[in-house]
Amino acid sequence: MKIDPYLFFDGRCEEAIEFYQQALGAKVEFMMRNSESPEPPPEGMLPPGSENKIMHASVHIGGALVMMSDGMCNGEGGFKGFSLSLDCPDQDVAREAFAALADGGQVTMPLGKTFWAPLFGMVNDRFGVGWMVGVSPDAE
């Protein structure tokens, strides 16, 4: 078994994908819009004008698969109770990734040395996704 995160961006998925491509070098493996679905959604399931929203995307960030969608576009988006952990190969990469994720977001723990890592920090990006950015002790 394995676990892959699936994030719902409530209408901002395409913007999020572009952000993660620039910030973290994300690579899109697959992307389908609502209008490209082989079966239309049930009547009234999606709000009018959401035909071009992302029904599903599979994105690679580093060695991880992160799946994404615009979801139902009903104004109920939000990310609470979890963070994505980004393990960087060195401190320079960690600083660059942290700064990129913090652009338009909110730093909740500045990057610094901890007892478990030579560099670690936490940030909520501009979409509200929590990130824990760090460098493993054995990477130094």
Side-chain angles (χ1 to χ4, degrees):
M1 280 193 289
K2 77 176 194 165
I3 296 174
D4 295 318
Y6 205 119
L7 307 177
F8 294 91
F9 288 91
D10 197 42
R12 297 181 68 194
C13 188
E14 190 162 11
E15 180 186 349
I17 290 170
E18 290 171 6
F19 175 73
Y20 296 134
Q21 286 175 316
Q22 291 179 328
L24 303 174
K27 306 278 187 231
V28 176
E29 176 182 291
F30 177 82
M31 187 167 71
M32 178 184 283
R33 298 182 186 281
N34 289 325
S35 62
E36 298 168 332
S37 173
E39 293 182 18
E43 187 71 32
M45 183 174 174
L46 295 173
S50 61
E51 298 81 19
N52 287 322
K53 295 296 183 182
I54 307 300
M55 179 181 178
H56 172 76
S58 297
V59 178
H60 284 276
I61 300 174
L65 175 67
V66 180
M67 293 181 279
M68 304 176 182
S69 173
D70 276 311
M72 303 304 234
C73 302
N74 59 8
E76 296 180 15
F79 300 100
K80 294 181 181 184
F82 75 95
S83 291
L84 300 179
S85 180
L86 185 63
D87 185 25
C88 299
D90 61 54
Q91 291 190 24
D92 290 338
V93 171
R95 284 186 187 95
E96 186 177 312
F98 191 86
L101 290 167
D103 182 22
Q106 180 181 8
V107 173
T108 57
M109 179 180 175
L111 279 174
K113 184 174 176 29
T114 65
F115 69 87
W116 67 86
L119 194 64
F120 178 85
M122 298 187 325
V123 61
N124 292 330
D125 68 26
R126 64 180 65 173
F127 304 99
V129 177
W131 293 85
M132 300 183 302
V133 179
V135 177
S136 299
D138 57 340
E140 287 300 291

